[in-house]
Amino acid sequence: MTEERNVNVNPEVEEEVSEAQLTEQRQIRREKLKKLQEMGRNPFLVETWNVEAYSVQIKENFEEWEGKHVSMAGRIMANRHMGKASFVDIQDKDGRIQLHITQDGITPEEYEIFLTYDIGDIIGVEGNVFKTKRGEISIEVEKIVLLSKSLQVLPNKWHGLKDIDQRYRQRYVDLIINPEVRNMFYKRAAIIKEIKRVLEDEFGYLEVDTPILTTIAGGANARPFNTHHNTLDIDMKMRISNELFLKRCVVGGLDRVYEMGKMFRNEGMDRNHNPEFTSMECYAAYTNMEFVMEVTERVVSQAALKANGSYIINYQGKEFDLTPPWRRLRMDDAVKEITGVDFATIVTDEEARAAAIAYGMDPEDVNKWTRGKILAEMFEEYVEDVPGYLDGPVFIVGHPVEISPLAKRDPQDPRITRRFEAYVNCWEIANAFSELNDPIDQYERFAEQQAQLESGEDDEAHPMDMDFVNALEVGLPPTGGLGIGIDRVIMLVTNAPSIRDIMLFPTMKPID
């Protein structure tokens, strides 16, 4: 039989198939559809089909299904015509199963119509389960109905979709052709379900929904997407974090809340970053940073267990053991170990600037920064990029106040906060605080951030959110807060090389 070819063939891969040939094949399909419509058999008028069984269900329980009459539906993925009999593979949500279709089984008239069906068409069938002489579990078809006509030409089994960008842009085709891609998104759904189960059943969190459109993009240092609300005639932003709304919930007496949903940051794109991504944030009253460390360990390790059946994961050739408890490491200790600069002995901003410049940092930048800001910059520039150093899992603690405007100060050292970041594979996968609930301190930090924003010193700083300050004045109990990058966790536990592989429809630049 003639091989089916992709509608958007890469000419470097399949030079023998021209666009004209593909156009001809698509035109033939439209002519077949027109003939069916003229016969009163328009597939697009069919509304429903009774699906009683699925391929994997039958294959895995053949003894139970043997000889039974079943009604199924699926997409034609292969066909082998041999005179008055044909074998057809259909694909449903679970996998594939073979159909045996004969002229005697469905009548000669119906068989002639069936022979016009193409790979990619969606059909409904009824018949009996049996096993061929070669041992292939199959359906002996007694009735076949075309439910949807495919007017495009699918990639063939051998060449598939070679262009990775094309796979992301035409994910609907990618899902049809590549079973491992479908399995990835079933696995993603199972991981998210497990994370929610852990939060709700083991820690007592309540799932809530908070706004995506806001007038102030707060809760994180990032550039927002801007939009305009026509009815209110106001500029709005898409959220970069839901933190401040979730804390308002805790103020209101919802002691443990979480939300898993989309965040939007108008920033760079690479294999670990997409401007639209899934984040989970949770807040628990009367708890602290140590409590949410336990939550982090439990959520991430259970995600691995659900995906792979083990707390040990392999990511791109590297092995990580996510079994709790995880290691704790102070930021200043990490900087000292990698650079030799000991912030434990540095007291003033001037001393920190001198040490950083001596190490090779840009004086023009350094002379604008405080001791805490310099510590954070040295960690980000010199520690995070050291191969293997933050493979983890590891909690980095001891973040300076200057970069942690929403975290409590450490009572033992008010220059740092009660905050941690969790790293696996040198990736930050979680950020958490013993939340700042002092409204006066919060106002002062917001004011400082606002000044940095207005001066242009930091275009990702928090703007002033007076309503949130007002909420803190009403009274926020001691609270432990946590944010986890769900996409990165799923990448890790499923061994996906790019964030685009675990997103159904990643952001792509339009084709001109």
Side-chain angles (χ1 to χ4, degrees), residues 17 49 67 96 122 148 165 189 196 227 241 243 269 288 315 334 361 413:
V17 180
W49 185 264
R96 294 190 184 189
I122 298 172
S148 183
D165 277 1
K196 290 186 173 185
T227 187
S241 169
E243 175 174 347
M269 295 168 57
N288 60 8
Y315 185 77
M361 297 187 76
D413 185 351

Side-chain angles (χ1 to χ4, degrees), residues 345-369:
T345 63
I346 294 174
V347 177
T348 67
D349 294 341
E350 289 73 18
E351 291 172 337
R353 290 166 184 158
I357 293 170
Y359 192 74
M361 297 187 76
D362 186 349
E364 185 176 350
D365 290 331
V366 169
N367 285 326
K368 300 175 185 176
W369 296 337

Side-chain angles (χ1 to χ4, degrees), residues 107-307:
T107 77
E109 295 78 14
E110 288 295 323
Y111 191 76
E112 285 302 311
I113 293 172
F114 152 72
L115 289 176
T116 70
Y117 297 169
D118 295 300
I119 290 176
D121 289 355
I122 298 172
I123 58 174
V125 297
E126 293 181 6
N128 298 314
V129 178
F130 78 107
K131 186 178 289 187
T132 66
K133 293 180 180 180
R134 294 186 176 184
E136 180 77 16
I137 297 170
S138 307
I139 308 297
E140 186 68 57
V141 175
E142 298 175 352
K143 180 180 180 180
I144 181 169
V145 175
L146 182 64
L147 304 178
S148 183
K149 180 68 180 172
S150 176
L151 301 180
Q152 286 285 4
V153 183
L154 293 178
N156 65 51
K157 175 180 177 181
W158 295 273
H159 292 90
L161 284 169
K162 293 294 185 182
D163 186 331
I164 189 68
D165 277 1
Q166 183 183 337
R167 289 181 52 207
Y168 298 143
R169 294 179 194 280
Q170 297 184 1
R171 182 68 89 184
Y172 44 90
V173 178
D174 194 24
L175 290 165
I176 293 169
I177 298 300
N178 297 312
E180 68 277 8
V181 174
R182 290 197 307 279
N183 291 338
M184 169 65 77
F185 291 103
Y186 279 117
K187 187 174 287 189
R188 178 187 174 106
I191 291 168
I192 288 175
K193 184 177 181 180
E194 177 66 6
I195 290 172
K196 290 186 173 185
R197 184 201 66 79
V198 170
L199 291 169
E200 294 174 10
D201 296 348
E202 298 186 20
F203 293 100
Y205 285 94
L206 172 71
E207 185 174 17
V208 297
D209 296 300
T210 64
I212 289 175
L213 287 176
T214 67
T215 55
I216 297 176
N221 287 344
R223 294 183 181 89
F225 286 93
N226 299 307
T227 187
H228 186 80
H229 193 292
N230 291 335
T231 301
L232 296 177
D233 192 23
I234 59 173
D235 292 331
M236 302 192 76
K237 305 175 187 299
M238 299 181 74
R239 69 183 180 189
I240 57 175
S241 169
N242 50 7
E243 175 174 347
L244 304 187
F245 283 107
L246 291 174
K247 288 182 185 176
R248 286 173 170 95
C249 292
V250 179
V251 169
L254 302 178
D255 282 357
R256 294 193 179 187
V257 293
Y258 83 94
E259 182 177 13
M260 188 181 300
K262 293 292 187 182
M263 305 299 156
F264 308 88
R265 298 186 181 180
N266 196 356
E267 299 175 337
M269 295 168 57
D270 56 36
R271 75 186 191 99
N272 290 336
H273 296 87
N274 194 71
E276 176 183 354
F277 61 96
T278 301
S279 175
M280 188 285 297
E281 294 201 27
C282 60
Y283 295 83
Y286 313 112
T287 67
N288 60 8
M289 183 178 77
E290 281 71 28
F291 173 82
V292 289
M293 279 183 172
E294 294 180 20
V295 175
T296 306
E297 292 169 338
R298 183 66 177 159
V299 162
V300 177
S301 63
Q302 284 300 115
L305 187 64
K306 189 68 178 179

Side-chain angles (χ1 to χ4, degrees), residues 90-116:
I90 63 168
Q91 180 170 287
D92 60 18
K93 73 179 185 67
D94 291 340
R96 294 190 184 189
I97 195 165
Q98 179 174 269
L99 309 179
H100 184 231
I101 304 171
T102 65
Q103 180 175 287
D104 292 339
I106 63 172
T107 77
E109 295 78 14
E110 288 295 323
Y111 191 76
E112 285 302 311
I113 293 172
F114 152 72
L115 289 176
T116 70

